[in-house]
Amino acid sequence: GENVEQHPSTLSVQEGDSAVIKCTYSDSASNYFPWYKQELGKGPQLIIDIRSNVGEKKDQRIAVTLNKTAKHFSLHITETQPEDSAVYFCAASRGGKLTFGQGTILTVHP
Amino acid sequence: DAGITQSPRYKITETGRQVTLMCHQTWSHSYMFWYRQDLGHGLRLIYYSAAADITDKGEVPDGYVVSRSKTENFPLTLESATRSQTSVYFCASSLQGLLTGELFFGEGSRLTVL
C-alpha cells in the first residue's frame, strides 16, 4: 500500500520567517495530495490540496508544490504568524484511500 | 450549523470492556470515516462508509466494529478494549469520498484503556 513520509517532525521558526514541510510518497499512482492543519484540541482542517496534473498551487501565504517524478510534495508557509502554530499533516490518495504522513509540529515564536 | 459531533470527548475504560464512540453529522454527507491518531503514526483509517448500510475496512480495523443504519450516524465500537487501543479517535465526513474530497473532522474522542 501507499507509504507517506513527512519531515521534519518538529519545526520552530521566528514570526515572519518561512516554513517548509516535505513529504514523500511511494505509490506513483497517487493523484491527490491534501494538507491538513490541526490546532490544539481540534480535528484537522484542510488548508490546501493539489492534484497530480498540477505542479504548484498557492493560496495567500501558503503554497504546495508537487514533483511527480521524485514522488514528493511540499508545503510552504511564508510570513509565518503565531496563529500558524499547529500540527500539519500531508496525505496522498490513490484509488479512494487517503494515507497520512506522521505530522509536523510547527511552532512560530513571536 | 452543528457539523460533525463526537461523543464522548473523553473516556476512560478498562481492558476487556466494550466501548462505543458516537459520531453524528448534520450535512447529509454520504461518506463517513473513523481515524485514530497516535504519536509517530499520524492518522490511520480504521473503517469507512460510503452510504447507509455500506461499510469497509481501512488500514487498522482489527478490534473495531462499525455500523451505519442512518446516514447521519456512524458509531465505532471496541468490543473488548485493549491498552493498544488507547488513542485519540476522529470521525470525519465527506461529500465526495476519499478520492478527491475534503474531509470534515470532528473534535476527537480521547480514549484511555487501563
Side-chain angles (χ1 to χ4, degrees):
Chain A
E2 174 68 278
N3 183 48
V4 178
E5 296 288 332
Q6 182 172 345
H7 299 281
S9 56
T10 61
L11 180 58
S12 184
V13 299
Q14 288 296 128
E15 183 177 0
D17 288 350
S18 294
V20 180
I21 302 170
K22 298 182 179 181
C23 289
T24 60
Y25 61 98
S26 60
D27 191 339
S28 56
S30 288
N31 55 11
Y32 174 64
F33 307 91
W35 285 88
Y36 283 81
K37 174 184 180 182
Q38 184 181 24
E39 296 178 346
L40 198 62
K42 300 279 182 72
Q45 273 192 301
L46 179 71
I47 55 171
I48 195 166
D49 58 12
I50 193 168
R51 288 166 176 73
S52 58
N53 58 346
V54 176
E56 184 173 358
K57 185 176 178 180
K58 193 171 181 180
D59 183 4
Q60 299 183 341
R61 295 186 298 108
I62 60 173
V64 57
T65 58
L66 171 65
N67 184 326
K68 286 173 56 180
T69 303
K71 289 189 284 188
H72 69 69
F73 56 113
S74 301
L75 178 71
H76 305 253
I77 306 174
T78 58
E79 300 171 23
T80 54
Q81 300 167 3
E83 51 265 38
D84 294 329
S85 295
V87 181
Y88 291 80
F89 291 98
C90 64
S93 174
R94 183 240 181 190
K97 290 192 183 284
L98 195 63
T99 302
F100 284 87
Q102 297 86 349
T104 297
I105 302 171
L106 173 64
T107 304
V108 181
H109 298 281
Chain B
D1 186 357
I4 185 163
T5 55
Q6 293 182 231
S7 62
R9 294 291 312 280
Y10 304 91
K11 176 76 176 177
I12 299 174
T13 191
E14 294 178 337
T15 301
R17 295 208 180 228
Q18 183 178 78
V19 176
T20 296
L21 305 179
M22 305 300 292
C23 179
H24 176 79
Q25 54 108 351
T26 59
W27 294 307
S28 298
H29 284 170
S30 296
Y31 292 84
M32 295 188 75
F33 312 85
W34 275 106
Y35 286 88
R36 60 178 289 174
Q37 183 177 18
D38 304 288
L39 199 63
H41 291 279
L43 292 152
R44 291 181 292 175
L45 182 64
I46 304 170
Y47 269 97
Y48 67 101
S49 169
D53 298 322
I54 301 174
T55 62
D56 206 351
K57 295 178 181 179
E59 185 184 350
V60 289
D62 293 344
Y64 303 95
V65 174
V66 294
S67 62
R68 189 141 178 235
S69 56
K70 292 184 178 182
T71 301
E72 61 266 29
N73 296 325
F74 192 39
L76 176 73
T77 298
L78 290 66
E79 293 193 304
S80 179
T82 64
R83 288 184 183 162
S84 64
Q85 293 177 310
T86 292
S87 186
V88 181
Y89 291 86
F90 286 97
C91 180
S93 71
S94 172
L95 192 58
Q96 297 181 44
L98 286 168
L99 201 57
T100 57
E102 177 177 358
L103 297 182
F104 295 88
F105 285 86
E107 297 203 319
S109 294
R110 182 176 291 275
L111 176 67
T112 301
V113 183
L114 301 176

